[in-house]
Amino acid sequence: MENESNKILEEVTGSEYKYGFYTDIEMDQAPPGLTEDTIRFISAKKNEPEFMLEFRLKAFRHWQTLKEPEWAHVKYPRIKYQELIYYSAPLKRAKHDSLDEVDPELLETFEKLGIPLNEQKALAGVAVDAVMDSVSVGSTFKKTLEEQGVIFCSFSEALQKHPELIKKYMGSVVPYRDNFFAALNSAVFSDGSFAYIPKGVRCPLELSTYFRINAANTGQFERTLIVAEEGSYVSYMEGCTAPVRDEHQLHAAIVEIIAHKDAEVKYSTVQNWWPGDKEGKGGVYNFVTKRGICEGENAKISWTQVETGSAVTWKYPSLVLKGDNSTGEFYSVAVTNNKQQADTGTKMIHLGKNTRSTIISKGISAGRSNNSYRGLVKTSRNAENARNFSQCDSLLLGDQCGAHTFPYLDVGNKSSIVEHEATTSKISEDQLFYCLQRGIDMEGAIGLIVNGYAKEVLSKLPMEFAVEAQKLLSISLEGSVG
Amino acid sequence: MLSIKNLSVSIHGKPIIKGLSLDVNAGEIHAIMGPNGSGKSTLASVIAGRETFDVDEGEITYMGKNLFDLPAESRAREGIFLGFQYPVEIPGVSIANFMRTAINEKRKYLGLDPLTGAEFLKLMEERKKMVDIQSKLTNRSVNEGFSGGEKKKNEIFQMAMLEPRLAILDETDSGLDIDALKVVANGVNKLRRKDNATVVITHYQRLLDYIVPDFVHVLYDGRIIKSGDKSLAFELEEKGYDWVKKETA
Ligand SMILES: Nc1ncnc2c1ncn2[C@@H]1O[C@H](COP(=O)(O)OP(=O)(O)OP(=O)(O)O)[C@@H](O)[C@H]1O
Ligand SMILES: [Mg+2]
């Protein structure tokens, strides 16, 4: 009898589940909330291989056991994870051969954001894979890349065409167990980018992806995976911008980079998401996990980031230097204004012999913002002759903002040399007046001084990106001194 | 061109300029001399629009405009240039970039198109030659790590780039070796035109051998206590400030 009722119950719930599933798949948006069903929905929607669904479910079950981290020097209201929408697709989605076929409205938005997704860009030698909300929309210059055997496509496409590569590398650098947000991303990630550079190939183009958050209340969970085979080279750029929004938007991305023997990967980011208004209303929460591994000897990975956006940033692009003689670099400019909060930095984990790392961090705080650098340099027992040099500078505009530095050291090998330098400075009244006297107004003066201060980092960016970043630095500090 | 009437300036309630009047016309060169702390740099700063000082009384007109209506950057764009006694360092900002920004801001204010990269470079090369400044200097960050003399030469270079109507040079000759002094003076003389004017603030008569002033003024305790022609500078060098003070007391 009991067995019987159980069976019925199972049938009812099961069919309900199936039914729900069936209707859901017609929708372009998942209903708000996060359950195993949501995850099955996303996976089915994207027609994913079984291993992917398994991975997502494992991550989800693990995430449910976790608590949101509270150690960062940031404050924000609790995120209501059950009220977010975890999947939404742009309405007019199609595979395009040329940009003429792309929804003109979308192109217009990109224009407004100053991201011309057009032939000029392509002529400038940039292949663009634009991600709007959760699904890839346009791609250029694939041919040139294909000729070299370079794979550069959306994560979803890679799952269909190169499942073996995804299976091999996904989660190998950032396992879903890594942290709260990594687990969440691994469970619900919608799309992202995949780049694969075959052995000995020097990628002929800068690979560039523009992310943009669009639909209201949609948490954005991107996933990027870059694999550089032995002796290859690639420069990868990620640029982000979001339109004005009232509600907070969660962004929890994962970026994984694998550099094999003698390979080099340069990863550059300019992040200028909506930081919220002056009172701290609105803005994006940016909780991202970025990590690379120098797997083989002489491998090199460098992170260069310019962070001007988001209401709350929690971000530590890190590197594991496993191969002997491998090199890691971290160059960062983080600007906070008004009520923005940023807790960012890096981790350099030296495992191999003669591994080298350099950290240059330039924090700029204005208004009533808070800007923290948090960094860990760790050398393991086997890391003979490991070297690190860290330089962490803070620039304050006004006296209501905060700058904090939290350098952590963990030296496991006596032969390693770790150097740390830190400075804090203010823009002086003398400097400002000097500029004013030459006819440069207050905002222009601040822009100049700040760009000069950040030059060491900006000079690491690819040319066109550097120009954009310079403008952004000035814009994001507008009205900060008056 | 510039007319200062009964100007009084204080800082934190402490009077520094105490009822000063001065007229500068187009085509003229004025020299202001005076002991340390007498208010020379303060006067220059107030003309340039520095807001740390309080103007308690008086007026300044420049090209027929009330100077106090214009913020510092507009005064600069209207052709007022201050060669600083202590030029500041701006790390990471190259002189070329600094000057290009300044010139294009000024051009925008005047309703002109910005200079293209090529036009700017041409102008820069020309002016570098004019004031005999080393080519490499303009690639370096503004005043960063410059020697005292290099900083002063850089001020003259900037003056040459901006072609001011009214240039105020605050002890631009201090700390210069004799060759550099000639370079600076040469720059000023080459830039001299019928429609511009220069005010040089200096402690040394020596400079006035190279930049020959039409008028010399003695600034003492916030007031101009004596004005004359270039022979006044010789007298000062010989007899010191006490002499003027006694004479005017
Ligand atoms: N920011 C300030 N705060 C307080 N006092 C000031 C300030 N600036 C100038 N003063 C004072 O005003 C007076 C005049 O200074 P100023 O710099 O104008 O002198 P100066 O004639 O240029 O002297 P020098 O020949 O040494 O350059 C001095 O007593 C100086 O201490
Ligand atoms: Mg002085």
Side-chain angles (χ1 to χ4, degrees), chain B residues 41 85 170-171:
Chain B
S41 295
Q85 184 175 358
D170 192 354
E171 296 199 25

Side-chain angles (χ1 to χ4, degrees), chain A residues 429-431 433-442 448-449 452-453 455, chain B residues 50 73 76-77 80-82 84 88-89 91-93 102 105 143 155 158:
Chain A
E429 210 266 326
D430 284 345
Q431 285 175 320
F433 185 66
Y434 194 78
C435 295
L436 291 177
Q437 210 302 306
R438 298 300 185 246
I440 301 164
D441 65 15
M442 192 58 97
L448 263 185
I449 295 168
Y453 165 79
K455 192 181 186 175
Chain B
R50 190 152 199 164
E73 66 269 28
R77 294 167 191 169
I80 294 180
F81 177 88
L82 173 58
F84 285 82
V88 296
E89 302 187 352
V93 178
E105 287 289 319
N143 295 321
E155 295 293 290
Q158 292 182 41

Side-chain angles (χ1 to χ4, degrees), chain A residues 438-440, chain B residues 97-106 162:
Chain A
R438 298 300 185 246
I440 301 164
Chain B
N97 186 20
F98 185 62
M99 275 297 102
R100 193 174 174 195
T101 310
I103 286 177
N104 284 337
E105 287 289 319
K106 179 173 176 175
L162 293 163

